[in-house]
Amino acid sequence: MDVLYFAWVRERIGQPRDVVETQATTVAELVEELKAREERYEAAFADLSALRVALDHELADFDAPLAGVREVAFFPPMTGG
């Protein structure tokens, strides 16, 4: 599964993407696996209320299932203007 990071999430992790093999069944479980990797992931995912997630280009919640998902993207909320 491809995991993409945008904006300050990418800056904290230090790279734009990871390819992961996961046992997680939800986005929240995936986040916990990523946080356990290294301190930089822990910092990036410290406040989930400051993050949004998309599964295969569709906005989703952190309790969304990962079955069949090929791409997960994490990014801060966007504003228009």
Side-chain angles (χ1 to χ4, degrees):
M1 165 183 311
D2 288 329
V3 181
L4 309 177
Y5 311 111
F6 294 93
W8 58 259
V9 183
R10 174 177 47 209
E11 292 172 9
R12 289 183 186 174
I13 291 175
Q15 59 195 34
R17 73 173 36 208
D18 279 314
V19 176
V20 300
E21 296 208 15
T22 181
Q23 298 300 316
T25 60
T26 66
V27 175
E29 290 176 11
L30 175 62
V31 167
E32 290 305 313
E33 286 183 9
L34 292 170
K35 286 168 64 173
R37 283 181 159 196
E38 295 179 34
E39 192 172 297
R40 60 190 171 130
Y41 290 90
E42 177 74 35
F45 293 108
D47 180 9
L48 295 186
S49 69
L51 285 173
R52 299 295 176 263
V53 62
L55 305 178
D56 292 333
H57 304 272
E58 297 286 332
L59 288 176
D61 293 321
F62 283 86
D63 60 354
L66 291 176
V69 171
R70 293 168 39 197
E71 180 183 274
V72 179
F74 294 102
F75 49 92
M78 305 291 181
T79 59

